[in-house]
DNA sequence: AAGTTGATCAACCGCCTGAGA
DNA sequence: TTCTCAGGCGGTTGATCAACT
């Protein structure tokens, strides 16, 4: 028994958003504000489920979003907040103006986790990887929340108190040891089938690549004030056309 | 040039929570 | 008190593309 789907799936679009859909959604929210997401799609003339509209707006279309690379300060703040809050991405995002939980979650999984690992820090516990007593004396790490099959939440750590609603209680920061500076232990760099390929990437920091960025948004001529480079436009229409074609074929 | 690999990130899925009836 | 529903969240997926062989 599950709950009924949030919308009639047979009559909703899925996948990448089109410019027209973005325009409709943006125009509707600008005119009426963020109201009832469930009824919004119909009211706005969108064949999308309300959840999808909400996600699109929050993660992408909201005008106050900051785009572009994370600064080093943001990096460190995310790491610190993660050590306090664990995977509470929405709480972390709440302390990073202009960033979304989805963006931070992705950034954590793709960049920061590797960064911490390369420093010899376990991204889960925020402790040195080769610490013999990592399991003891835990003062932080809400990260350890785990679910059983029924979805009940258990906590592996010894922290008896629940984090306050905004996640940061008084005095909590004082307990944060912070990521220990410098590589305590360099884990062996996994070597892919291409030899030093991966190792080069690891040691060179971020792999140099063109940020794809908000393709559709840019493609639509969205405002550039979020620090997005015009170059990111390249290839976007092509990709969009392919996506559309793919969706049509389904 | 072609094929492979791995990184990136938008979007989806399913569960939880809280409000209202 | 119980049930229903909408909103919200975290985890995961899959398409795309750059880097590399």
């Amino acid at each position: 028994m599950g709950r009924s789907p949030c919308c009639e799936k047979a009559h909703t679009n899925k996948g990448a958003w089109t410019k027209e859909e973005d325009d409709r959604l943006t125009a509707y929210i600008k005119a009426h504000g963020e109201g009832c997401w469930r009824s919004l799609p119909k009211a706005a003339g969108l064949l999308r489920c309300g959840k999808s509209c909400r996600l699109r707006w929050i993660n992408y279309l909201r005008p106050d979003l900051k785009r572009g690379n994370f600064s080093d300060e943001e990096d460190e703040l995310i790491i610190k907040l993660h050590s306090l809050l664990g995977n509470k991405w929405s709480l972390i995002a709440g302390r990073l103006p202009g960033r979304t939980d989805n963006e931070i979650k992705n950034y954590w999984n793709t960049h920061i986790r590797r960064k911490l690992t390369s420093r010899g820090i376990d991204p889960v516990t925020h402790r040195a990887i080769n610490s013999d007593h990592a399991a003891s004396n835990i003062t932080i790490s809400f990260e350890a929340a785990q679910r059983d099959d029924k979805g009940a939440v258990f906590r592996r750590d010894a922290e008896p108190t629940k984090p306050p609603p905004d996640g940061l209680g008084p005095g909590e920061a004082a307990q944060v040891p912070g990521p220990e500076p410098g590589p305590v232990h360099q884990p062996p760099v996994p070597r892919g089938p291409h030899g030093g390929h991966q190792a080069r990437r690891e040691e060179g920091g971020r792999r140099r690549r063109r940020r794809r960025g908000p393709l559709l948004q840019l493609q639509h001529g969205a405002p550039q004030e979020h620090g997005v480079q015009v170059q990111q436009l390249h290839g976007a229409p092509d990709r969009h056309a392919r996506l559309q074609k793919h969706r049509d074929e389904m």
Side-chain angles (χ1 to χ4, degrees):
Chain A
M1 284 292 284
R3 99 187 15 254
S4 60
C6 69
C7 50
E8 187 57 54
K9 291 196 174 188
H11 300 105
T12 54
N13 288 340
K14 290 176 76 172
W17 280 65
T18 64
K19 166 179 165 37
E20 195 184 339
E21 287 175 315
D22 280 350
D23 288 347
R24 275 179 189 271
L25 179 58
T26 305
Y28 183 87
I29 291 178
K30 277 183 179 166
H32 303 92
E34 296 179 39
C36 172
W37 289 110
R38 191 179 173 90
S39 59
L40 185 149
K42 194 174 179 184
L46 289 163
L47 292 174
R48 291 276 180 176
C49 102
K51 275 188 171 187
S52 185
C53 293
R54 176 185 159 272
L55 208 64
R56 182 65 178 174
W57 173 254
I58 288 177
N59 287 333
Y60 222 80
L61 299 174
R62 244 172 43 193
D64 58 328
L65 286 182
K66 190 197 288 183
R67 286 283 169 189
N69 294 334
F70 283 74
S71 65
D72 288 342
E73 288 77 22
E74 285 176 308
D75 271 23
E76 294 306 319
L77 183 54
I78 291 170
I79 291 168
K80 187 175 176 184
L81 288 171
H82 186 272
S83 75
L84 283 169
L85 304 170
N87 292 2
K88 303 293 179 193
W89 306 117
S90 59
L91 289 178
I92 295 173
R95 296 186 176 256
L96 284 152
R99 301 294 188 185
T100 71
D101 52 355
N102 205 34
E103 190 179 15
I104 292 171
K105 177 171 58 181
N106 280 330
Y107 187 65
W108 175 270
N109 286 327
T110 56
H111 290 90
I112 299 183
R113 218 155 51 159
R114 206 178 337 138
K115 182 175 170 180
L116 289 180
T117 303
S118 73
R119 286 187 193 173
I121 297 167
D122 184 341
V124 175
T125 62
H126 292 264
R127 295 168 104 45
I129 284 172
N130 62 349
S131 168
D132 287 337
H133 305 291
S136 64
N137 208 16
I138 296 172
T139 57
I140 52 170
S141 184
F142 300 113
E143 161 69 26
Q146 291 194 329
R147 296 162 189 278
D148 69 356
D149 289 346
K150 296 190 179 74
V153 174
F154 295 100
R155 297 194 180 278
R156 193 178 61 212
D157 57 16
E159 179 64 47
T161 53
K162 243 182 127 179
D166 79 346
L168 291 177
E172 209 170 358
Q175 295 183 331
V176 185
E180 285 150 43
V184 177
H185 162 70
Q186 284 291 349
V189 177
R191 299 207 173 246
H194 300 309
H197 177 180
Q198 185 163 4
R200 219 171 7 256
R201 247 184 255 136
E202 298 286 348
E203 83 180 29
R206 273 179 208 169
R207 180 185 182 188
R208 205 183 332 149
R209 57 181 296 148
R210 179 168 58 87
R211 252 180 82 95
R212 270 186 291 159
L215 289 180
L216 295 175
Q217 182 178 11
L218 282 168
Q219 183 193 341
H220 305 165
Q224 300 282 317
E225 66 263 30
H226 303 309
V228 181
Q229 295 157 6
V230 174
Q231 197 184 3
Q232 290 168 1
L233 276 163
H234 292 185
D238 219 41
R239 177 182 183 237
H240 180 239
R242 274 197 297 275
L243 282 169
Q244 189 65 51
K245 182 162 176 275
H246 176 69
R247 198 189 307 157
D248 291 345
E249 287 169 357
M250 291 180 74

